[in-house]
């Protein structure tokens, strides 16, 4: 009895992949070609949508930045420019000029 049950289980395990293969449907060349074209068209449409969204986001960020700049006074904008130049120099690991370091306030 055990031997017969084992043989049935082995046969079922061997036939299982065949039943799975029978369920797949093969497409003709025309149908697979249409799928590839439509997939390409969908990718292009998604890419265009992404580009449009990115342009809008960049334009919005730029508008916000310009608005923030216009809120500052002329003196403040000048000071911000000087600070930006100074920070760029420091990030480039450059020291301040000798005379500035010589007469700089030392606490």
């Amino acid at each position: 009895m055990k031997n017969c049950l084992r043989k049935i289980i082995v046969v079922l395990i061997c036939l299982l992949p065949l039943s799975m293969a029978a369920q797949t449907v093969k497409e003709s060349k025309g149908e697979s070609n249409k799928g590839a074209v439509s997939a390409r068209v969908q990718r292009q449409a998604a890419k265009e949508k992404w580009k449009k969204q990115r342009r809008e986001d960049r334009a919005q960020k730029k508008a916000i930045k310009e608005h923030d700049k216009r809120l500052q006074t002329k003196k403040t904008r000048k000071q911000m420019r000087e600070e930006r130049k100074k920070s760029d120099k420091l990030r480039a690991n450059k020291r301040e000029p000798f005379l500035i370091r010589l007469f700089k306030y030392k606490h």
Side-chain angles (χ1 to χ4, degrees), residues 1-76:
M1 185 70 176
K2 285 184 178 182
N3 207 6
C4 183
L5 188 60
R6 285 183 189 164
K7 287 180 183 179
I8 293 173
I9 291 173
V10 169
V11 169
L12 289 175
I13 290 173
C14 292
L15 294 177
L16 185 64
L18 294 176
S19 64
M20 297 246 183
Q23 292 178 0
T24 60
V25 178
K26 294 183 180 179
E27 297 178 8
S28 66
K29 287 185 179 180
E31 291 175 2
S32 64
N33 215 4
K34 286 181 184 177
V37 171
S38 65
R40 182 170 42 118
V41 170
Q42 288 175 351
R43 280 196 310 272
Q44 286 177 347
K47 187 176 180 181
E48 287 297 322
K49 183 180 176 185
W50 175 79
K51 282 184 177 182
K52 183 180 176 185
Q53 182 67 33
R54 186 166 182 239
R55 271 187 251 125
E56 290 173 357
D57 288 344
R58 283 183 157 191
Q60 185 179 9
K61 285 180 182 178
K62 188 175 181 180
I64 290 172
K65 192 173 182 179
E66 287 298 318
H67 177 71
D68 288 345
K69 283 183 182 178
R70 294 298 130 214
L71 289 176
Q72 307 296 332
T73 63
K74 187 174 181 179
K75 183 179 175 184
T76 308

